[in-house]
Amino acid sequence: MSFKVLIKICETGIFQRVSGQKPGWISVARCFSTTMSRTVLKDSPNAALDKSLLQRYIDLPQPDNKVQAKYIWIDGTGEGLRCKSRTLDFIPKDPKELPMWTYDGSSTYQAEGGNSDIFLSPVAIYNDPFRRGNNKLVLCDTYTSDKTPTKSNRRYKANEAMEAIKDVEPWFGIEQEYTFLDFDGRPLGWPKNGFPGPQGPYYCGVGADKVIGREIVEAHYRACLYAGINIAGTNAEVMPSQWEFQVGPCVGISGGDDLWVARFLLHRIAEEYGVIVTLDPKPVEGAWNGAGAHTNFSTKAMRGENGIAEIEKAIDKLSKKHLRHIQAYDPRGGKDNERRLTGHCETSSIHDFSAGVANRNVSIRIPRGVAEDKKGYLEDRRPSSNCDPYAVCEALVRTCVLNE
Ligand code: ADP
Ligand code: MN
Ligand code: MN
Ligand code: MN
């Protein structure tokens, strides 16, 4: 008896079908195929450097009266982070004590060469997990030469909104999904000429054939805690090499501040490993989950007795402002989210507003526990992974609290 074995390689994996036997394709690739070539970080210059040498210099005694401050800011893309360091002769306790500084905005897509100085205004201080001791990370927002906020300074207006509604005590919890990439732009550890087995075993997975890059996730988690970021947790995501961390619950503007600095730490730590972190909302086309920044939001009334009524009121207001939110939820006014909010892969369609209890294919989800307790918070699942959290939190507050 003769039979034919057919092999098909497609985006979701490798499948085999044997003629004359039960019809249908069955998956034959292991989670990560070992039969296909997979050279990891071959072209990554940072991965090639000897990481143990730096410790010699970090261990050198630092003069008591000298503090290293790394100023961090968002560049003209609204997504990219920049930083530079300076020496201080005091230990800063409050951002107001820190000097303003300037940088060359013509090199960050923020100014013309002829009038290039952009001002850095310190807004939050964190402990520096790389330099330790009294050394600090300083988050800044940015202003043009006439002291108006730059276009990518979304914090300025968000902070105005947060100040205006302080009495409702807004809390934000943001779930940052992201993907590790190798130097060829493909997810880290994926076969170079194919795909891993289909999604299913990877989410919250454990084991060498289930997750990739956990050491970076662990390093980042501890570094965030050391820095003073209100990090809530981490988990492996649905697509291999995709992960998540959460900040929150954070009060008001600090949600955006903590998320931006946590992003900085993630890029910075992955840099040491020679790994790229992408916040692209759909790093691999097809049946692979995209990445979001689900934003969990509550007010004092929502958290109080029978707060569910308040949550439902907010959802009703959100249903009437879908477009405003889509425009605010990625750096390209909705263009990025078009690739992600397809209605598949645990998303809702970008074109429709929907809400539901424990449903992951909707715009707004009421977590099961919140429905049972009749109080708590709502989860807005629409923000893209590369969103500006200041713009997202501001939109939520303007729609749900300020009734704008
Ligand atoms: P999911 O089940 O959607 O994966 P996660 O556990 O990843 O949820 O994230 C939940 C987020 O909600 C966390 O960042 C947490 O800090 C935040 N959160 C919890 N309670 C509240 C609240 N009352 N208001 C706002 N955010 C909250
Ligand atoms: Mn989550
Ligand atoms: Mn997630
Ligand atoms: Mn979520």
Side-chain angles (χ1 to χ4, degrees):
M1 177 187 166
S2 81
F3 56 86
K4 263 193 268 171
V5 178
L6 305 168
I7 299 282
K8 110 176 153 175
I9 302 179
C10 63
E11 275 189 1
T12 52
I14 302 176
F15 300 87
Q16 139 185 332
R17 176 177 177 174
V18 182
S19 67
Q21 293 191 4
K22 217 169 58 179
W25 294 95
I26 53 164
S27 171
V28 291
R30 273 181 255 165
C31 294
F32 307 152
S33 167
T34 48
T35 56
M36 284 176 287
S37 98
R38 185 145 38 121
T39 319
V40 176
L41 295 177
K42 182 167 65 79
D43 300 316
S44 175
N46 284 304
L49 297 176
D50 180 345
K51 302 304 177 184
S52 65
L53 289 172
L54 174 63
Q55 202 53 42
R56 283 199 217 170
Y57 307 98
I58 292 291
D59 286 345
L60 288 172
Q62 186 174 343
D64 285 342
N65 59 340
K66 298 288 179 193
V67 170
Q68 292 169 294
K70 189 184 282 291
Y71 280 40
I72 299 167
W73 69 96
I74 301 160
D75 72 16
T77 64
E79 294 179 77
L81 284 159
R82 310 280 178 133
C83 60
K84 60 174 183 170
S85 294
R86 65 186 293 166
T87 309
L88 304 172
D89 54 12
F90 66 99
I91 303 168
K93 298 268 188 294
D94 187 294
K96 290 191 197 76
E97 300 164 13
L98 283 158
M100 297 272 284
W101 204 6
T102 55
Y103 65 94
D104 168 16
S106 72
S107 301
T108 60
Y109 319 113
Q110 283 169 305
E112 301 293 326
N115 183 16
S116 67
D117 277 6
I118 301 282
F119 285 99
L120 285 169
S121 172
V123 294
I125 302 176
Y126 296 84
N127 296 320
D128 183 338
F130 307 102
R131 295 167 171 157
R132 304 191 188 203
N134 291 325
N135 303 304
K136 301 295 178 198
L137 302 175
V138 177
L139 181 68
C140 299
D141 67 354
T142 54
Y143 296 82
T144 59
S145 52
D146 62 2
K147 302 285 165 71
T148 54
T150 61
K151 277 205 191 74
S152 58
N153 181 353
R154 307 293 297 259
R155 188 184 191 278
Y156 184 82
K157 284 198 69 194
N159 195 39
E160 279 184 344
M162 297 302 161
E163 287 296 317
I165 59 131
K166 242 184 181 155
D167 52 323
V168 310
E169 296 174 20
W171 289 7
F172 299 94
I174 309 172
E175 304 168 49
Q176 177 69 65
E177 294 178 335
Y178 61 92
T179 309
F180 291 136
L181 300 182
D182 203 336
F183 245 58
D184 55 6
R186 298 254 302 160
L188 184 69
W190 283 32
K192 294 301 176 196
N193 305 305
F195 293 87
Q199 294 181 160
Y202 310 117
Y203 169 73
C204 295
V206 58
D209 59 343
K210 306 290 194 306
V211 298
I212 303 164
R214 189 191 300 277
E215 58 215 270
I216 302 175
V217 176
E218 290 295 324
H220 174 252
Y221 194 169
R222 194 61 76 84
C224 283
L225 288 173
Y226 177 90
I229 289 165
N230 184 9
I231 185 166
T234 66
N235 61 269
E237 267 303 336
V238 175
M239 185 180 88
S241 235
Q242 193 176 64
W243 294 84
E244 167 178 318
F245 68 86
Q246 307 96 28
V247 298
C250 297
V251 182
I253 201 72
S254 76
D257 292 347
D258 277 12
L259 188 70
W260 274 113
V261 176
R263 284 176 177 178
F264 175 83
L265 294 182
L266 183 60
H267 290 298
R268 171 69 180 74
I269 290 166
E271 168 194 316
E272 289 185 28
Y273 287 87
V275 169
I276 300 163
V277 172
T278 182
L279 298 191
D280 189 274
K282 194 76 177 180
V284 188
E285 276 176 40
W288 300 100
N289 272 31
H294 301 165
T295 301
N296 301 273
F297 169 60
S298 66
T299 59
K300 200 175 165 186
M302 293 177 188
R303 296 187 293 272
E305 232 19 68
N306 207 35
I308 192 78
E310 204 59 34
I311 293 172
E312 275 159 10
K313 265 192 242 165
I315 292 175
D316 186 55
K317 291 177 197 171
L318 288 165
S319 73
K320 297 180 177 121
K321 299 278 181 193
H322 182 60
L323 190 59
R324 156 197 267 177
H325 287 263
I326 290 297
Q327 283 168 350
Y329 284 5
D330 75 52
R332 271 162 279 275
K335 276 273 160 243
D336 280 339
N337 248 336
E338 264 173 30
R339 292 182 285 129
R340 163 180 168 256
L341 295 178
T342 56
H344 306 286
C345 296
E346 299 179 46
T347 67
S348 59
S349 160
I350 192 168
H351 304 295
D352 306 310
F353 180 89
S354 54
V357 175
N359 188 337
R360 290 178 194 267
N361 304 313
V362 290
S363 317
I364 306 286
R365 163 176 156 254
I366 299 177
R368 172 72 63 203
V370 172
E372 280 171 9
D373 295 349
K374 297 197 168 39
K375 64 180 175 187
Y377 60 97
L378 59 84
E379 178 194 40
D380 192 335
R381 299 177 60 79
R382 295 170 294 178
S384 168
S385 42
N386 60 349
C387 69
D388 186 332
Y390 297 131
V392 173
C393 296
E394 179 189 357
L396 282 167
V397 157
R398 291 200 186 276
T399 300
C400 301
V401 187
L402 289 168
N403 300 313
E404 287 176 9

